[in-house]
Amino acid sequence: MNLIPVNQPLLNGNERKYLNECLDTGWISSEGPFVKKFEALFAQKVDRKYGIAVCNGSAALEAALQVLDFERGAEIILPSFTIISCLSAIVRAGCTPVFVDSVPVTWNMDCNQIEKKITSKTKAIMVVHIYGLPTDMDHVLRLSAKYNLKIIEDAAEGHGLNYKNKPVGSFGDISTFSFYSNKHVTTGEGGMVLTNDANLAGRLYSIRNLCFQPAQRFVHEELGYNFRMTNIQAAIGVAQVEQLDNFIKKKKEMGKYYISQLENIEQIQLPQVSTDYAENIFWVFGILIKNNCPFSAKEIMSSLRELGIDTRPFFYPLHLQPALRKLNIKSDESLPVAENLAEKGFYIPSGLGLSLEQMEIVCKRVKQVFE
Ligand SMILES: *Cc1c(COP(=O)(O)O)cnc(C)c1O
């Protein structure tokens, strides 16, 4: 049976034309003209002065943490319910992660729990916008001002997402995006770091390029990485950004369609279409199994797979990651919402390339497994 994939990108704009330009001109490395074009175009979309394209979203987080120069042992507050990249970047920068639980309805960091975790060592809050809805930024901005904390904004899932009519990725001292193939703007693999601070931007360009120096190329004042994005990736990125407004429109329609078809299933909790401050862009369409359901998420996912529907589990909470033990990072607390999300959550096919016909089949199968 043909499995309906959990993600299919949509690549039917100018991608092919721009890729041919790369091949025809021979510009396939990071030196080609699409990289700057992509940086400028995307920075403009996110309302930022500088965009520094890198090879993926995880690298974007690592570069962001390096350039902020936190002292060793500085504490950074972040949601437990997110991808491992957030934790890796913090730990590799010599900082200590401090985890916060999520809001049961939006699955984003519960900002009411941040303040009690702030200590004299706290230097930053890492905000991560989850699955298509944003974190409550006013709350984060208030705490950042009150305690003089930097904000790192991981907007990897938030292309085209607004918080109170302002694009996410425009709030942090530094914000980061991913362009992996399941994100709303994709370059296959890719990422970007964005900031309004000229100093940070200058250092970020340098860090992504091994900290080569203009005057004495092979003399290095700092250690960087080769995090460069190729012209080939950026060519696809430019074509994708051109279509972002349409992509968002389509994603919102897809989310609403799924909700209209699945909202009568009593054993599941679906994403909210909107909150007080945002409209959901449904990065993925998540489903949370309620306590009254006799099946586990694993069982539902494997039944769906047998019926030709691919799914993915939700994130596994960072505070329970086995890797923490090796690092001697204390994580004995309980964060029940994040734990419940990990245990009971999964997402169904949500890619931009999904057809209405495929979505109809997905809905039929989901209804079937809960009957
Ligand atoms: C996808 C994602 C990343 C990592 O991006 P890659 O390009 O896959 O390295 C980081 N943070 C969040 C929240 C993501 O969803």
Side-chain angles (χ1 to χ4, degrees):
M1 189 193 306
N2 263 346
L3 205 59
I4 296 182
V6 85
N7 176 64
Q8 280 166 284
L10 194 57
L11 300 161
N12 59 2
N14 286 322
E15 288 85 353
R16 193 176 301 270
K17 181 177 161 216
Y18 297 160
L19 280 174
N20 276 332
E21 272 180 55
C22 298
L23 297 175
D24 292 342
T25 58
W27 284 116
I28 57 171
S29 78
S30 60
E31 290 291 309
F34 280 116
V35 177
K36 285 202 178 67
K37 227 180 253 180
F38 182 44
E39 288 173 337
L41 207 58
F42 195 73
Q44 190 191 5
K45 276 275 173 205
V46 185
D47 208 4
R48 294 254 112 163
K49 281 197 190 132
Y50 307 98
I52 297 92
V54 293
C55 52
N56 59 60
S58 307
L61 282 165
E62 306 238 344
L65 264 292
Q66 177 168 342
V67 81
L68 286 170
D69 281 334
F70 295 116
E71 65 221 43
R72 286 199 86 74
E75 291 175 3
I76 299 181
I77 293 176
L78 79 165
S80 176
F81 188 68
T82 179
I83 195 169
I84 194 73
S85 314
C86 301
L87 175 63
S88 310
I90 290 173
V91 170
R92 289 189 180 129
C95 301
T96 304
V98 175
F99 304 111
V100 170
D101 209 357
S102 305
V103 181
V105 175
T106 67
W107 308 337
N108 272 271
M109 173 161 60
D110 185 350
C111 295
N112 290 315
Q113 297 185 31
I114 296 175
E115 196 160 13
K116 63 175 182 244
K117 303 238 162 166
I118 295 175
T119 71
S120 58
K121 288 190 195 159
T122 309
K123 297 296 172 210
I125 301 172
M126 180 183 281
V127 170
V128 189
H129 307 294
I130 296 289
Y131 292 179
L133 281 173
T135 303
D136 183 356
M137 286 314 300
D138 282 345
H139 202 143
V140 173
L141 291 166
R142 206 158 54 236
L143 292 172
S144 148
K146 183 169 169 191
Y147 294 96
N148 190 24
L149 306 175
K150 293 271 194 255
I151 298 175
I152 303 141
E153 194 185 0
D154 180 356
E157 303 171 3
H159 320 69
L161 173 63
N162 287 332
Y163 173 86
K164 294 188 177 169
N165 297 319
K166 275 187 68 182
V168 305
S170 68
F171 294 94
D173 294 276
I174 292 197
S175 57
T176 62
F177 282 83
S178 162
F179 306 115
Y180 182 60
S181 57
N182 65 2
K183 313 291 168 147
H184 285 11
V185 167
T186 183
T187 59
E189 302 281 353
M192 200 177 288
V193 194
L194 296 114
T195 181
N196 285 339
D197 182 317
N199 263 327
L200 291 179
R203 282 189 58 211
L204 284 163
Y205 290 120
S206 178
I207 286 169
R208 118 178 126 181
N209 194 23
L210 292 166
C211 296
F212 288 131
Q213 299 197 83
Q216 280 186 291
R217 184 171 172 81
F218 295 111
V219 178
H220 302 262
E221 301 284 340
E222 185 178 353
L223 297 181
Y225 294 92
N226 178 354
F227 279 166
R228 300 184 299 257
M229 173 183 273
T230 67
N231 200 48
I232 298 173
Q233 292 166 300
I236 299 176
V238 170
Q240 288 270 300
V241 179
E242 289 171 353
Q243 303 169 82
L244 179 56
D245 296 347
N246 281 334
F247 285 172
I248 295 302
K249 215 172 125 220
K250 176 162 189 202
K251 273 294 204 169
K252 285 181 176 169
E253 282 165 9
M254 289 170 73
K256 285 177 192 162
Y257 175 80
Y258 270 148
I259 288 175
S260 73
Q261 295 299 305
L262 304 176
E263 66 190 348
N264 289 330
I265 303 174
E266 276 173 17
Q267 295 124 306
I268 57 178
Q269 177 192 324
L270 300 179
Q272 300 283 103
V273 173
S274 58
T275 68
D276 295 345
Y277 44 73
E279 276 182 54
N280 202 331
I281 60 160
F282 300 99
W283 172 56
V284 292
F285 193 89
I287 290 180
L288 194 62
I289 293 174
K290 290 187 191 161
N291 288 332
N292 67 2
C293 179
F295 308 110
S296 71
K298 273 209 179 95
E299 286 168 329
I300 297 287
M301 290 168 70
S302 81
S303 301
L304 281 171
R305 205 181 161 81
E306 278 164 29
L307 294 169
I309 311 297
D310 202 11
T311 58
R312 288 285 180 282
F314 275 12
F315 292 129
Y316 191 74
L318 296 183
H319 72 284
L320 298 181
Q321 292 293 345
L324 286 179
R325 262 174 266 139
K326 254 191 179 167
L327 298 163
N328 258 333
I329 292 168
K330 167 184 127 339
S331 64
D332 51 2
E333 63 191 330
S334 150
L335 301 175
V337 179
E339 288 162 25
N340 185 60
L341 287 172
E343 194 190 327
K344 303 263 173 68
F346 66 94
Y347 58 90
I348 57 179
S350 327
L352 274 158
L354 205 65
S355 68
L356 182 58
E357 201 184 9
Q358 287 175 311
M359 291 179 70
E360 283 168 3
I361 298 171
V362 172
C363 292
K364 204 164 122 194
R365 297 305 182 211
V366 171
K367 284 181 202 161
Q368 189 181 334
V369 297
F370 281 102
E371 260 161 24

